Amino acid sequence: MNYRTIALCSLFLSFVLGVKGQQTNTQTYTLKTPYAVEKITPPKGKKVKNVILMIGDGMSLMHIYTAWTCNRGQLWLENAQYTGLSKTPCLNRLVTDSGAGGTALSSGVKTRYHAVGVDGDGNPVPSLCKLAQQKGKSAGIAVTCRLWDATPATFCCHNSDRDREQEIAADYVNCGIDYAFGGGAKFFEHRNDGRNLFNELSTKGYQIARSWESLEKINSGKVFAVPYLVDTPLPDERGDLLARASLKGIELLNQNKKGFFMMIEGSQLDDYGHFNQLDMLMKETHDFDRTIGAVMKWAAKDGETLVVVTADHETGGLTLLGGDLEKGTVTCHFSTRDHSGTMVPVYAFGPGSEQFTGFMDNTDIFKKIKKLLNL
């Protein structure tokens, strides 16, 4: 039984026993070994050739400030030159989910709760990945969840219900994306319809990587990397996998002289917000922050890459009650096991970053990226 299964069982039992979300859920966490952070000098040019959109699933200002405290008052994210706030309501609910929230970011469309890559009437809408490819650019995604989960699906797939997982996985065959990294092999080969999507992707020219070692050896071409049956391992097990997978994707996509668009997601922050597990939530947030650092350092050297960091919504209703900055200790409270309606932060680094300030709708992030890339 893995860690996530245990957490789900614990969540179920809490409701059976009448706890109903543990409304007095206060926890303390200490990051024993902080990591170093450097000051990154941003590029001076104004040309935007590439855009990397980084999404912390369920990540709020409170997650960031809590992670900052744990790491003794420093985060790679602080290298962002400009900041703003994003409003996140979806078409039919004030508090959104990753499907509708992701669709707003990927396609600039308000859609219904639980929908992915479609408008309010269920019609497919093109994502930044598709629009970039139509302009001759390359496009890719790298996530720590299964590829048929809501956020990555909004950039490649189209369905009115994010829970139709096997249907969503099948959409990747015709997505045309140049690079994909994540988990979810389960519904690419163990399917009710008997299809093997890996074989179908191979016939379309993809190199299929079923391990990090095989991915590492690929130097060019279209790549579909799915090393894990469901989600990627826990942070302590996977190490800097998200950073490595992201930089590998950037290496491949950047071979296109016309540029690229890439979406990178710190996916499992959302899981541990739902589970109200502060220690794992901080590990995921710090992993995402270190990935942000690796991407920003690459972008600074490139000089023509805009990095935008945001979230689709907040998860867990996290509140920082106190702690010790010198010791990296925090005491926090979770008010829900679901999403909350707080606005989420937007951070930008590189050319065009000055466009991402003030209050904006989540659909505005799509519109700004589309305009800067001339899509």
Side-chain angles (χ1 to χ4, degrees):
M1 184 177 292
N2 61 32
Y3 196 98
R4 186 168 288 102
T5 302
I6 294 171
L8 285 169
C9 290
S10 174
L11 175 59
F12 174 74
L13 286 172
S14 73
F15 280 98
V16 170
L17 295 172
V19 178
K20 292 186 178 179
Q22 297 185 356
Q23 296 299 312
T24 58
N25 192 349
T26 300
Q27 300 170 32
T28 297
Y29 171 72
T30 300
L31 178 63
K32 294 181 180 179
T33 307
Y35 55 89
V37 169
E38 303 168 17
K39 179 66 177 177
I40 305 173
T41 302
K44 295 181 180 180
K46 295 183 178 180
K47 180 182 178 182
V48 181
K49 179 181 176 182
N50 316 305
V51 172
I52 301 171
L53 174 61
M54 305 186 71
I55 301 173
D57 198 322
M59 183 182 73
S60 72
L61 284 170
M62 194 58 70
H63 293 75
I64 293 164
Y65 193 56
T66 302
W68 176 87
T69 305
C70 290
N71 202 44
R72 282 49 166 193
Q74 56 178 359
L75 289 176
W76 285 101
L77 188 51
E78 290 182 281
N79 281 291
Q81 298 163 266
Y82 294 91
T83 60
L85 290 171
S86 170
K87 296 166 283 187
T88 63
C90 64
L91 188 63
N92 59 336
R93 294 195 188 187
L94 178 63
V95 180
T96 192
D97 78 309
S98 294
T103 301
L105 293 170
S106 69
S107 302
V109 172
K110 290 288 187 183
T111 192
R112 296 182 180 278
Y113 191 85
H114 258 226
V116 292
V118 297
D119 63 20
D121 296 321
N123 302 307
V125 288
S127 74
L128 286 166
C129 289
K130 180 60 68 177
L131 294 174
Q133 290 179 310
Q134 289 174 353
K135 272 286 186 176
K137 294 177 179 289
S138 294
I141 61 173
V143 301
T144 58
C145 63
R146 52 217 174 274
L147 286 168
W148 29 270
D149 201 7
T151 305
T154 64
F155 286 83
C156 298
C157 311
H158 311 280
N159 205 296
S160 295
D161 185 359
R162 59 179 287 183
D163 289 337
R164 295 172 184 160
E165 297 168 329
Q166 295 194 37
E167 292 180 18
I168 290 170
D171 273 359
Y172 277 98
V173 174
N174 297 312
C175 173
I177 200 166
D178 298 286
Y179 176 82
F181 177 92
K186 175 181 177 181
F187 288 149
F188 283 87
E189 55 186 352
H190 304 296
R191 298 175 53 82
N192 294 340
D193 58 14
R195 295 170 63 185
N196 186 309
L197 302 184
F198 289 131
N199 291 343
E200 295 182 32
L201 286 161
S202 292
T203 64
K204 289 180 175 285
Y206 283 93
Q207 301 165 84
I208 308 300
R210 301 299 302 276
S211 68
W212 169 256
E213 290 72 22
S214 60
L215 172 60
E216 198 172 23
K217 296 174 183 177
I218 297 174
N219 296 314
S220 63
K222 298 177 72 170
V223 178
F224 213 88
V226 192
Y228 306 100
L229 194 63
V230 189
D231 296 330
T232 62
L234 303 178
D236 290 344
E237 299 173 35
R238 70 175 186 256
D240 63 344
L241 178 65
L242 181 59
R244 285 183 282 127
S246 299
L247 292 175
K248 185 65 178 180
I250 290 170
E251 171 197 328
L252 295 169
L253 297 174
N254 194 46
Q255 293 176 21
N256 185 340
K257 294 181 179 180
K258 293 184 179 180
F260 67 86
F261 169 80
M262 185 174 190
M263 188 281 289
I264 299 168
E265 185 190 31
S267 315
Q268 296 182 45
L269 281 77
D270 180 66
D271 291 337
Y272 298 107
H274 282 297
F275 300 154
N276 288 180
Q277 292 179 261
L278 181 61
D279 57 343
M280 294 302 299
L281 178 58
M282 286 299 99
K283 289 180 180 181
E284 289 287 351
T285 307
H286 286 135
D287 175 62
F288 188 51
D289 181 60
R290 289 191 291 268
T291 303
I292 291 169
V295 170
M296 282 185 173
K297 285 197 290 185
W298 184 91
K301 292 179 181 178
D302 175 71
E304 297 179 336
T305 298
L306 167 67
V307 180
V308 179
V309 184
T310 190
D312 46 0
H313 55 73
E314 193 277 344
T315 305
L318 185 71
T319 304
L320 177 62
L321 301 177
D324 189 315
L325 188 59
E326 292 184 3
K327 295 180 180 178
T329 298
V330 292
T331 299
C332 295
H333 170 77
F334 291 97
S335 63
T336 180
R337 290 189 182 271
D338 209 335
H339 303 162
S340 75
T342 184
M343 286 189 289
V344 296
V346 183
Y347 302 87
F349 175 88
S353 57
E354 69 278 0
Q355 300 294 318
F356 295 85
T357 61
F359 292 89
M360 66 194 85
D361 191 76
N362 51 9
T363 56
D364 292 330
I365 296 172
F366 163 87
K367 293 171 186 176
K368 293 174 188 291
I369 294 173
K370 180 182 177 183
K371 183 178 180 180
L372 288 166
L373 280 178
N374 193 29
L375 305 180

